Coordinates of all heavy atoms in Angstrom, one line a residue:
M1 N 162.7 18.3 119.7 CA 163.9 17.9 120.4 C 164.8 17.0 119.6 O 166.0 17.0 119.7 CB 163.5 17.3 121.7 CG 164.7 17.0 122.6 SD 164.7 17.0 124.4 CE 163.1 16.9 125.0
D2 N 164.1 16.2 118.7 CA 164.9 15.2 117.9 C 165.9 15.9 117.0 O 167.0 15.5 116.8 CB 163.9 14.4 117.1 CG 163.1 13.4 117.9 OD1 163.6 13.1 119.1 OD2 162.1 12.9 117.5
K3 N 165.4 17.0 116.4 CA 166.3 17.8 115.5 C 167.5 18.3 116.3 O 168.6 18.3 115.8 CB 165.5 18.9 114.8 CG 166.2 19.6 113.7 CD 165.3 20.5 113.0 CE 165.9 21.2 111.8 NZ 165.0 22.0 111.0
V4 N 167.3 18.9 117.5 CA 168.4 19.4 118.3 C 169.3 18.3 118.6 O 170.6 18.4 118.4 CB 167.8 20.0 119.6 CG1 168.9 20.3 120.6 CG2 167.0 21.3 119.3
Q5 N 168.8 17.1 119.1 CA 169.7 16.0 119.5 C 170.5 15.5 118.2 O 171.7 15.2 118.4 CB 168.9 14.9 120.1 CG 168.4 15.2 121.5 CD 169.6 15.2 122.5 OE1 170.6 15.9 122.3 NE2 169.4 14.4 123.5
R6 N 169.8 15.4 117.1 CA 170.5 14.9 115.9 C 171.6 15.8 115.5 O 172.7 15.3 115.2 CB 169.5 14.8 114.8 CG 170.1 14.2 113.5 CD 169.0 13.9 112.4 NE 167.8 14.6 112.4 CZ 167.7 15.8 111.8 NH1 168.7 16.4 111.3 NH2 166.5 16.5 111.9
M7 N 171.4 17.1 115.5 CA 172.5 18.1 115.1 C 173.6 18.0 116.1 O 174.8 18.1 115.7 CB 171.9 19.5 115.0 CG 171.1 19.8 113.8 SD 170.6 21.5 113.8 CE 169.7 21.5 112.3
A8 N 173.3 17.9 117.4 CA 174.3 17.9 118.4 C 175.1 16.6 118.3 O 176.3 16.7 118.6 CB 173.6 17.9 119.8
S9 N 174.6 15.5 117.9 CA 175.3 14.3 117.8 C 176.1 14.2 116.5 O 177.1 13.5 116.4 CB 174.4 13.1 118.0 OG 173.5 13.0 117.0
E10 N 175.6 14.9 115.4 CA 176.3 14.9 114.1 C 177.5 15.7 114.0 O 178.4 15.5 113.1 CB 175.3 15.3 113.0 CG 174.2 14.3 112.7 CD 173.2 14.8 111.7 OE1 173.2 15.9 111.3 OE2 172.3 14.0 111.4
H11 N 177.6 16.7 114.9 CA 178.8 17.6 114.8 C 179.4 17.7 116.2 O 178.8 17.6 117.2 CB 178.3 19.1 114.5 CG 177.5 19.1 113.2 ND1 178.1 19.1 112.0 CD2 176.1 19.1 113.0 CE1 177.1 19.2 111.0 NE2 176.0 19.1 111.6
G12 N 180.7 17.8 116.2 CA 181.5 17.8 117.5 C 181.1 19.0 118.4 O 180.9 18.8 119.6
V13 N 181.1 20.2 117.8 CA 180.8 21.4 118.6 C 179.7 22.1 117.9 O 179.8 22.5 116.7 CB 182.0 22.3 118.7 CG1 181.7 23.5 119.5 CG2 183.2 21.5 119.3
V14 N 178.6 22.3 118.6 CA 177.4 23.0 118.0 C 177.0 24.1 118.8 O 176.9 24.0 120.1 CB 176.2 22.0 117.9 CG1 175.0 22.7 117.3 CG2 176.6 20.8 117.1
I15 N 176.7 25.3 118.2 CA 176.1 26.4 118.8 C 174.8 26.7 118.2 O 174.7 27.0 117.0 CB 177.1 27.6 118.7 CG1 178.4 27.3 119.4 CG2 176.4 28.9 119.4 CD1 179.5 28.4 119.1
F16 N 173.7 26.6 119.0 CA 172.4 27.1 118.5 C 172.4 28.5 118.8 O 172.6 29.0 119.9 CB 171.3 26.3 119.2 CG 171.3 24.8 118.8 CD1 171.9 23.8 119.5 CD2 170.6 24.5 117.6 CE1 171.8 22.5 119.1 CE2 170.6 23.2 117.1 CZ 171.2 22.2 117.9
S17 N 172.1 29.3 117.8 CA 172.2 30.8 117.9 C 171.1 31.5 117.2 O 170.2 30.8 116.7 CB 173.5 31.1 117.1 OG 173.8 32.4 117.0
K18 N 171.1 32.8 117.3 CA 170.2 33.7 116.5 C 171.1 34.7 115.9 O 172.0 35.2 116.5 CB 169.2 34.3 117.4 CG 168.1 33.4 117.8 CD 167.0 34.2 118.6 CE 165.9 33.3 119.0 NZ 164.8 34.0 119.8
S19 N 170.8 35.1 114.7 CA 171.6 36.0 113.9 C 171.7 37.4 114.6 O 172.7 38.1 114.3 CB 171.1 36.1 112.5 OG 169.8 36.6 112.5
T20 N 170.8 37.7 115.4 CA 170.8 39.1 116.0 C 171.3 39.0 117.5 O 171.3 40.1 118.2 CB 169.4 39.6 116.1 OG1 168.5 38.7 116.8 CG2 168.8 39.8 114.7
C21 N 171.8 37.9 117.9 CA 172.3 37.8 119.3 C 173.8 38.0 119.5 O 174.6 37.3 118.9 CB 171.9 36.3 119.8 SG 172.6 35.9 121.4
C22 N 174.1 39.1 120.2 CA 175.5 39.5 120.4 C 176.3 38.5 121.2 O 177.5 38.2 121.0 CB 175.6 40.9 120.9 SG 174.9 41.1 122.5
L23 N 175.6 37.9 122.2 CA 176.3 36.8 123.0 C 176.6 35.6 122.2 O 177.6 34.9 122.4 CB 175.4 36.5 124.3 CG 175.3 37.6 125.3 CD1 174.4 37.2 126.4 CD2 176.7 38.0 125.9
C24 N 175.7 35.3 121.3 CA 175.9 34.1 120.4 C 177.2 34.4 119.6 O 178.0 33.5 119.4 CB 174.7 33.9 119.5 SG 173.2 33.5 120.4
Y25 N 177.3 35.6 119.1 CA 178.4 36.0 118.3 C 179.7 35.9 119.1 O 180.7 35.4 118.7 CB 178.2 37.4 117.7 CG 179.4 37.9 116.9 CD1 179.6 37.5 115.6 CD2 180.3 38.8 117.5 CE1 180.7 37.9 114.9 CE2 181.4 39.3 116.8 CZ 181.6 38.9 115.5 OH 182.7 39.3 114.8
A26 N 179.7 36.4 120.3 CA 180.8 36.4 121.2 C 181.3 34.9 121.5 O 182.5 34.6 121.5 CB 180.5 37.1 122.5
V27 N 180.3 34.0 121.8 CA 180.7 32.6 122.0 C 181.3 32.0 120.8 O 182.3 31.3 120.9 CB 179.5 31.9 122.6 CG1 179.7 30.4 122.6 CG2 179.1 32.4 124.0
T28 N 180.7 32.3 119.6 CA 181.2 31.7 118.4 C 182.7 32.2 118.2 O 183.5 31.4 117.8 CB 180.3 32.1 117.2 OG1 179.0 31.6 117.5 CG2 180.8 31.6 115.9
I29 N 182.9 33.5 118.4 CA 184.3 34.0 118.2 C 185.3 33.4 119.2 O 186.4 33.1 118.8 CB 184.3 35.6 118.3 CG1 183.5 36.2 117.2 CG2 185.7 36.2 118.4 CD1 184.0 35.9 115.8
L30 N 184.8 33.2 120.4 CA 185.7 32.6 121.4 C 186.1 31.2 120.9 O 187.3 30.9 121.0 CB 184.9 32.4 122.8 CG 185.6 31.6 123.8 CD1 186.9 32.2 124.3 CD2 184.7 31.3 125.0
F31 N 185.2 30.4 120.5 CA 185.5 29.0 120.0 C 186.5 29.1 118.8 O 187.4 28.4 118.8 CB 184.2 28.3 119.6 CG 183.5 27.7 120.8 CD1 183.0 28.5 121.8 CD2 183.4 26.3 120.9 CE1 182.4 27.9 122.9 CE2 182.8 25.7 122.0 CZ 182.3 26.5 123.0
R32 N 186.2 30.0 117.9 CA 187.1 30.2 116.7 C 188.5 30.6 117.2 O 189.5 30.1 116.7 CB 186.5 31.1 115.7 CG 185.3 30.4 115.0 CD 184.8 31.2 113.9 NE 183.7 30.5 113.3 CZ 182.6 31.0 112.8 NH1 182.4 32.4 112.9 NH2 181.6 30.3 112.3
D33 N 188.6 31.5 118.1 CA 189.9 32.0 118.7 C 190.6 30.9 119.4 O 191.9 30.8 119.4 CB 189.7 33.2 119.7 CG 189.4 34.5 119.0 OD1 189.5 34.6 117.7 OD2 189.0 35.4 119.7
L34 N 189.9 29.9 119.9 CA 190.5 28.7 120.6 C 190.9 27.7 119.6 O 191.5 26.7 119.9 CB 189.6 28.1 121.6 CG 189.3 29.0 122.8 CD1 188.2 28.4 123.7 CD2 190.6 29.3 123.6
G35 N 190.6 27.9 118.3 CA 191.0 27.0 117.2 C 189.9 26.0 116.8 O 190.2 25.1 116.0
V36 N 188.7 26.1 117.2 CA 187.6 25.2 116.9 C 186.7 25.9 115.9 O 186.3 27.1 116.1 CB 186.8 24.8 118.2 CG1 185.6 23.9 117.8 CG2 187.8 24.0 119.1
D37 N 186.2 25.2 114.9 CA 185.3 25.8 114.0 C 183.9 25.1 114.3 O 183.6 24.1 113.8 CB 185.7 25.5 112.5 CG 184.8 26.2 111.5 OD1 184.2 27.2 111.9 OD2 184.7 25.7 110.4
P38 N 183.1 25.8 115.1 CA 181.8 25.2 115.5 C 180.8 25.2 114.4 O 180.8 26.0 113.5 CB 181.4 26.1 116.7 CG 181.9 27.4 116.4 CD 183.3 27.1 115.7
Y39 N 179.9 24.2 114.5 CA 178.7 24.2 113.6 C 177.7 25.2 114.3 O 177.3 25.0 115.4 CB 178.1 22.8 113.5 CG 176.9 22.8 112.6 CD1 176.9 22.8 111.3 CD2 175.6 22.8 113.2 CE1 175.8 22.8 110.5 CE2 174.5 22.7 112.5 CZ 174.6 22.8 111.1 OH 173.4 22.8 110.4
V40 N 177.4 26.3 113.6 CA 176.5 27.3 114.1 C 175.1 27.2 113.4 O 175.1 27.3 112.2 CB 177.0 28.7 114.0 CG1 176.1 29.7 114.6 CG2 178.4 28.8 114.7
H41 N 174.1 26.9 114.2 CA 172.8 26.8 113.6 C 171.9 28.0 114.1 O 171.6 28.1 115.3 CB 172.1 25.5 114.0 CG 170.8 25.2 113.3 ND1 170.7 24.8 112.0 CD2 169.5 25.4 113.7 CE1 169.5 24.7 111.7 NE2 168.7 25.1 112.7
E42 N 171.5 28.8 113.1 CA 170.8 30.0 113.4 C 169.3 29.6 113.5 O 168.6 29.3 112.5 CB 171.0 31.1 112.3 CG 172.4 31.5 112.1 CD 173.0 32.4 113.2 OE1 172.2 32.7 114.1 OE2 174.2 32.7 113.1
L43 N 168.7 29.7 114.7 CA 167.3 29.3 114.9 C 166.4 30.2 114.2 O 165.3 29.8 113.8 CB 167.0 29.2 116.4 CG 167.8 28.2 117.2 CD1 167.4 28.2 118.7 CD2 167.5 26.8 116.6
D44 N 166.7 31.5 114.1 CA 165.8 32.4 113.4 C 165.8 32.3 111.9 O 165.0 32.9 111.2 CB 166.1 33.9 113.8 CG 167.6 34.3 113.6 OD1 168.5 33.4 113.5 OD2 167.8 35.5 113.5
H45 N 166.6 31.4 111.4 CA 166.6 31.1 110.0 C 166.1 29.7 109.7 O 166.2 29.2 108.6 CB 168.0 31.2 109.4 CG 168.6 32.6 109.4 ND1 169.9 32.9 109.1 CD2 168.0 33.8 109.7 CE1 170.1 34.2 109.2 NE2 168.9 34.7 109.6
D46 N 165.5 29.1 110.7 CA 165.0 27.7 110.6 C 163.5 27.7 110.8 O 163.0 28.3 111.8 CB 165.7 26.8 111.6 CG 165.4 25.3 111.5 OD1 164.2 25.0 111.3 OD2 166.3 24.5 111.6
N47 N 162.7 27.1 110.0 CA 161.3 27.0 110.2 C 160.9 26.4 111.5 O 159.8 26.7 112.0 CB 160.6 26.3 109.0 CG 160.7 27.1 107.7 OD1 160.8 28.3 107.7 ND2 160.6 26.4 106.6
D48 N 161.7 25.5 112.0 CA 161.4 24.8 113.3 C 162.1 25.5 114.4 O 162.1 25.0 115.5 CB 161.9 23.4 113.2 CG 161.3 22.5 112.2 OD1 160.0 22.8 111.9 OD2 161.9 21.7 111.5
G49 N 162.6 26.7 114.2 CA 163.4 27.4 115.2 C 162.7 27.6 116.6 O 163.3 27.4 117.6
K50 N 161.4 28.0 116.5 CA 160.7 28.2 117.8 C 160.6 26.9 118.6 O 160.8 26.9 119.8 CB 159.3 28.8 117.5 CG 159.3 30.2 117.0 CD 159.5 31.2 118.1 CE 159.4 32.6 117.5 NZ 160.1 33.6 118.3
D51 N 160.3 25.9 117.9 CA 160.1 24.5 118.6 C 161.5 24.1 119.1 O 161.6 23.5 120.2 CB 159.6 23.5 117.6 CG 158.1 23.7 117.3 OD1 157.4 24.3 118.1 OD2 157.7 23.3 116.2
M52 N 162.6 24.4 118.4 CA 163.9 24.0 118.8 C 164.3 24.8 120.0 O 164.9 24.3 121.0 CB 164.9 24.2 117.7 CG 164.7 23.3 116.5 SD 165.7 23.6 115.1 CE 167.3 23.0 115.7
E53 N 163.9 26.1 120.1 CA 164.2 26.9 121.3 C 163.5 26.4 122.5 O 164.1 26.3 123.6 CB 163.6 28.4 121.1 CG 164.5 29.3 120.4 CD 164.0 30.7 120.4 OE1 164.1 31.4 121.4 OE2 163.5 31.1 119.3
K54 N 162.2 25.9 122.3 CA 161.5 25.3 123.4 C 162.2 24.0 123.9 O 162.3 23.8 125.1 CB 160.0 25.1 123.0 CG 159.2 26.3 122.8 CD 157.8 26.0 122.3 CE 157.1 27.3 121.9 NZ 155.8 27.0 121.3
A55 N 162.6 23.3 122.9 CA 163.3 22.0 123.3 C 164.6 22.3 124.0 O 164.9 21.6 125.0 CB 163.6 21.2 122.0
L56 N 165.3 23.3 123.6 CA 166.6 23.6 124.3 C 166.3 24.1 125.8 O 167.0 23.7 126.7 CB 167.3 24.8 123.6 CG 168.0 24.3 122.3 CD1 168.3 25.6 121.5 CD2 169.2 23.5 122.6
M57 N 165.2 24.8 126.0 CA 164.8 25.2 127.3 C 164.4 24.0 128.2 O 164.8 23.9 129.3 CB 163.7 26.2 127.3 CG 164.0 27.5 126.6 SD 165.2 28.5 127.5 CE 164.2 29.3 128.7
R58 N 163.7 23.1 127.6 CA 163.3 21.8 128.3 C 164.5 21.0 128.6 O 164.5 20.3 129.6 CB 162.3 21.0 127.5 CG 160.9 21.5 127.5 CD 159.9 20.5 126.9 NE 160.2 20.1 125.6 CZ 159.8 20.7 124.4 NH1 159.1 21.8 124.5 NH2 160.2 20.2 123.3
M59 N 165.6 21.1 127.8 CA 166.8 20.3 128.1 C 167.7 20.9 129.2 O 168.6 20.3 129.6 CB 167.6 20.2 126.8 CG 167.0 19.4 125.7 SD 167.8 19.6 124.1 CE 169.0 18.3 124.3
G60 N 167.3 22.1 129.6 CA 168.0 22.7 130.7 C 168.8 24.0 130.4 O 169.5 24.5 131.3
C61 N 168.7 24.5 129.2 CA 169.3 25.8 128.9 C 168.5 26.9 129.6 O 167.3 27.0 129.4 CB 169.3 26.0 127.4 SG 170.9 25.7 126.7
N62 N 169.2 27.7 130.4 CA 168.5 28.7 131.1 C 168.2 29.9 130.2 O 167.4 30.8 130.5 CB 169.3 29.2 132.4 CG 170.7 29.5 132.1 OD1 171.2 29.2 131.0 ND2 171.4 29.9 133.1
A63 N 168.9 30.0 129.1 CA 168.6 30.9 128.0 C 168.6 30.1 126.7 O 169.5 29.2 126.6 CB 169.7 32.0 127.9
S64 N 167.7 30.3 125.8 CA 167.6 29.4 124.7 C 168.8 29.6 123.7 O 169.2 28.6 123.1 CB 166.3 29.6 123.9 OG 166.2 31.0 123.4
V65 N 169.4 30.7 123.7 CA 170.6 30.9 122.8 C 171.6 31.8 123.6 O 171.2 32.7 124.4 CB 170.2 31.6 121.5 CG1 169.4 30.6 120.6 CG2 169.6 32.9 121.6
P66 N 172.8 31.6 123.4 CA 173.4 30.5 122.7 C 173.3 29.2 123.5 O 173.4 29.3 124.7 CB 174.9 30.9 122.5 CG 175.2 31.8 123.7 CD 173.9 32.5 123.9
A67 N 173.1 28.1 122.8 CA 173.1 26.8 123.5 C 174.2 26.0 122.9 O 174.3 25.8 121.7 CB 171.7 26.1 123.3
V68 N 175.2 25.7 123.7 CA 176.4 25.0 123.2 C 176.4 23.5 123.6 O 176.2 23.2 124.7 CB 177.6 25.7 123.9 CG1 178.9 25.0 123.5 CG2 177.7 27.2 123.5
F69 N 176.7 22.7 122.6 CA 176.9 21.3 122.8 C 178.3 20.9 122.4 O 178.8 21.4 121.3 CB 175.9 20.5 121.9 CG 174.5 20.5 122.3 CD1 173.7 21.7 122.1 CD2 173.9 19.4 123.0 CE1 172.4 21.7 122.5 CE2 172.6 19.5 123.4 CZ 171.8 20.6 123.2
I70 N 178.9 20.1 123.2 CA 180.3 19.6 122.8 C 180.2 18.1 123.0 O 179.8 17.6 124.0 CB 181.4 20.2 123.7 CG1 181.4 21.7 123.6 CG2 182.7 19.6 123.4 CD1 182.4 22.4 124.5
G71 N 180.6 17.4 121.9 CA 180.5 15.9 121.9 C 179.1 15.4 122.2 O 179.0 14.4 122.8
G72 N 178.1 16.1 121.7 CA 176.7 15.7 121.8 C 176.1 16.0 123.2 O 174.9 15.7 123.4
K73 N 176.9 16.6 124.1 CA 176.3 16.9 125.4 C 176.1 18.4 125.6 O 177.0 19.2 125.2 CB 177.3 16.4 126.5 CG 177.4 14.9 126.5 CD 178.3 14.4 127.6 CE 178.4 12.9 127.5 NZ 179.6 12.4 128.0
L74 N 175.0 18.8 126.2 CA 174.7 20.2 126.4 C 175.7 20.7 127.5 O 175.8 20.2 128.6 CB 173.3 20.3 127.0 CG 172.9 21.7 127.4 CD1 172.9 22.7 126.2 CD2 171.5 21.7 128.0
V75 N 176.4 21.8 127.1 CA 177.3 22.5 128.0 C 176.6 23.6 128.7 O 176.7 23.8 129.9 CB 178.6 23.0 127.3 CG1 179.4 23.9 128.2 CG2 179.4 21.9 126.7
G76 N 175.7 24.3 127.9 CA 174.9 25.4 128.5 C 175.0 26.6 127.6 O 175.3 26.5 126.4
S77 N 174.8 27.7 128.2 CA 174.7 29.0 127.5 C 176.0 29.8 127.9 O 177.0 29.2 128.3 CB 173.5 29.7 128.0 OG 173.2 30.8 127.1
T78 N 175.9 31.1 127.6 CA 177.1 31.9 127.8 C 177.7 31.8 129.2 O 179.0 31.7 129.3 CB 176.7 33.4 127.5 OG1 176.0 33.5 126.3 CG2 177.9 34.3 127.5
N79 N 177.0 31.9 130.2 CA 177.5 31.8 131.6 C 178.3 30.5 131.8 O 179.4 30.6 132.4 CB 176.4 31.9 132.6 CG 175.8 33.3 132.7 OD1 176.4 34.2 132.3 ND2 174.7 33.4 133.4
E80 N 177.8 29.4 131.4 CA 178.5 28.1 131.6 C 179.8 28.0 130.8 O 180.8 27.6 131.2 CB 177.5 26.9 131.3 CG 176.4 26.8 132.2 CD 175.2 27.7 131.9 OE1 175.1 28.3 130.9 OE2 174.4 27.8 132.8
V81 N 179.7 28.5 129.5 CA 180.8 28.5 128.6 C 181.9 29.3 129.2 O 183.1 28.9 129.2 CB 180.4 28.9 127.2 CG1 181.7 29.1 126.3 CG2 179.5 27.8 126.6
M82 N 181.6 30.6 129.6 CA 182.6 31.5 130.1 C 183.2 31.0 131.4 O 184.4 31.1 131.6 CB 182.0 32.9 130.2 CG 181.7 33.5 128.9 SD 183.0 33.5 127.7 CE 184.2 34.6 128.4
S83 N 182.4 30.4 132.2 CA 182.9 29.8 133.5 C 183.9 28.7 133.2 O 185.0 28.7 133.8 CB 181.7 29.3 134.3 OG 182.2 28.7 135.5
L84 N 183.6 27.8 132.3 CA 184.5 26.8 131.9 C 185.8 27.4 131.4 O 186.9 26.9 131.7 CB 183.9 25.8 130.9 CG 182.8 24.9 131.5 CD1 182.1 24.2 130.3 CD2 183.4 23.9 132.4
H85 N 185.7 28.4 130.5 CA 186.8 29.0 129.9 C 187.7 29.6 131.0 O 189.0 29.4 130.9 CB 186.4 30.0 128.9 CG 187.5 30.7 128.2 ND1 188.5 30.0 127.5 CD2 187.8 32.0 128.0 CE1 189.4 30.9 127.0 NE2 189.0 32.1 127.3
L86 N 187.1 30.3 131.9 CA 187.9 31.0 132.9 C 188.6 30.0 133.9 O 189.7 30.3 134.4 CB 187.1 32.0 133.7 CG 186.6 33.2 133.0 CD1 185.6 34.0 133.8 CD2 187.7 34.1 132.5
K87 N 188.1 28.8 134.1 CA 188.7 27.8 134.9 C 189.7 27.0 134.1 O 190.4 26.2 134.7 CB 187.6 26.8 135.4 CG 186.7 27.4 136.5 CD 185.8 26.4 137.1 CE 184.6 26.2 136.4 NZ 183.6 25.3 137.0
G88 N 189.8 27.2 132.8 CA 190.7 26.4 132.0 C 190.1 25.1 131.5 O 190.8 24.3 130.9
S89 N 188.9 24.8 131.8 CA 188.3 23.5 131.5 C 187.7 23.4 130.1 O 187.6 22.3 129.5 CB 187.1 23.2 132.5 OG 187.6 23.3 133.8
L90 N 187.4 24.6 129.5 CA 186.8 24.6 128.2 C 187.7 24.0 127.1 O 187.3 23.1 126.3 CB 186.3 26.0 127.8 CG 185.6 26.1 126.4 CD1 184.4 25.3 126.4 CD2 185.3 27.6 126.1
I91 N 188.9 24.4 127.2 CA 189.9 23.9 126.2 C 190.1 22.3 126.3 O 190.3 21.7 125.3 CB 191.3 24.6 126.3 CG1 192.1 24.4 125.0 CG2 192.0 24.2 127.5 CD1 191.6 25.2 123.8
Q92 N 189.9 21.8 127.5 CA 190.0 20.4 127.7 C 188.9 19.7 126.9 O 189.0 18.6 126.3 CB 190.0 20.0 129.1 CG 191.2 20.5 129.9 CD 192.5 20.0 129.3 OE1 192.7 18.8 129.0 NE2 193.5 20.9 129.1
L93 N 187.7 20.2 127.1 CA 186.5 19.7 126.4 C 186.6 19.8 124.9 O 186.1 18.9 124.1 CB 185.2 20.4 126.8 CG 184.8 20.2 128.2 CD1 183.6 21.1 128.5 CD2 184.4 18.8 128.5
L94 N 187.3 20.8 124.4 CA 187.5 21.1 123.0 C 188.6 20.3 122.3 O 188.7 20.2 121.1 CB 187.6 22.6 122.7 CG 186.4 23.4 123.1 CD1 186.8 24.9 122.9 CD2 185.2 23.1 122.2
K95 N 189.5 19.7 123.1 CA 190.7 19.1 122.5 C 190.4 18.1 121.4 O 191.1 18.1 120.4 CB 191.5 18.4 123.6 CG 192.6 19.3 124.2 CD 193.5 18.5 125.1 CE 194.5 19.5 125.7 NZ 195.4 18.9 126.6
P96 N 189.4 17.2 121.5 CA 189.2 16.3 120.4 C 188.8 17.0 119.1 O 188.8 16.4 118.0 CB 188.0 15.4 120.9 CG 188.0 15.6 122.4 CD 188.5 17.0 122.7
Y97 N 188.4 18.2 119.2 CA 187.9 19.0 118.0 C 188.8 20.0 117.5 O 188.5 20.7 116.5 CB 186.5 19.6 118.3 CG 185.6 18.5 118.9 CD1 185.4 18.5 120.3 CD2 185.1 17.5 118.2 CE1 184.6 17.5 120.9 CE2 184.3 16.5 118.7 CZ 184.1 16.5 120.1 OH 183.3 15.5 120.7
L98 N 190.0 20.0 118.1 CA 191.1 21.0 117.6 C 191.8 20.3 116.4 O 192.0 19.1 116.4 CB 192.0 21.3 118.7 CG 191.5 22.1 119.9 CD1 192.5 22.1 121.0 CD2 191.1 23.5 119.5
P99 N 192.2 21.1 115.4 CA 192.9 20.6 114.3 C 194.3 20.1 114.8 O 194.9 20.6 115.7 CB 193.1 21.8 113.3 CG 192.7 23.0 114.1 CD 191.9 22.6 115.3
D100 N 194.8 19.1 114.1 CA 196.1 18.5 114.5 C 197.3 19.5 114.1 O 197.3 20.2 113.3 CB 196.4 17.2 113.8 CG 195.4 16.2 114.3 OD1 195.0 16.2 115.5 OD2 195.0 15.3 113.5

């Protein structure tokens, strides 16, 4: 859990992902289309990936990937991100991380 928290606090927008996950890819593309370049950490390419997945689940992610953090806070997985986007709230959360 320490590694997850450290990464989430070191980068403004973090997506914990797996290289084979199509929903992870879709969320990453959404953020890039909105003008944000998220830090994407592929759990299947990390020796600690399984432990990090378990930590994400313990933190409240209903699916271990994609797990999205904005400003060090867990936003959630695809459902939560898309819900925020459809309500117009996601862009508000991303404003501090948009290029000038």
Side-chain angles (χ1 to χ4, degrees):
M1 184 147 22
D2 290 340
K3 190 171 182 179
V4 170
Q5 287 289 54
R6 183 171 28 83
M7 285 183 181
S9 64
E10 287 175 356
H11 305 279
V13 180
V14 180
I15 301 173
F16 290 96
S17 176
K18 285 187 180 178
S19 59
T20 57
C21 173
C22 61
L23 292 176
C24 297
Y25 177 76
V27 168
T28 301
I29 294 301
L30 170 65
F31 278 63
R32 289 187 178 141
D33 284 350
L34 293 173
V36 174
D37 188 24
Y39 177 79
V40 179
H41 187 77
E42 303 285 358
L43 295 178
D44 54 337
H45 295 170
D46 186 316
N47 290 336
D48 298 325
K50 291 281 185 207
D51 291 332
M52 293 173 75
E53 274 188 78
K54 290 176 188 171
L56 289 164
M57 296 293 279
R58 284 193 303 271
M59 294 171 87
C61 257
N62 49 356
S64 62
V65 293
V68 176
F69 287 76
I70 300 174
K73 295 182 181 150
L74 176 64
V75 172
S77 193
T78 309
N79 288 344
E80 293 80 14
V81 169
M82 293 310 291
S83 177
L84 288 169
H85 181 54
L86 293 172
K87 288 190 273 185
S89 304
L90 182 60
I91 197 72
Q92 297 302 315
L93 291 174
L94 294 174
K95 269 190 179 175
Y97 310 103
L98 293 170
D100 293 330

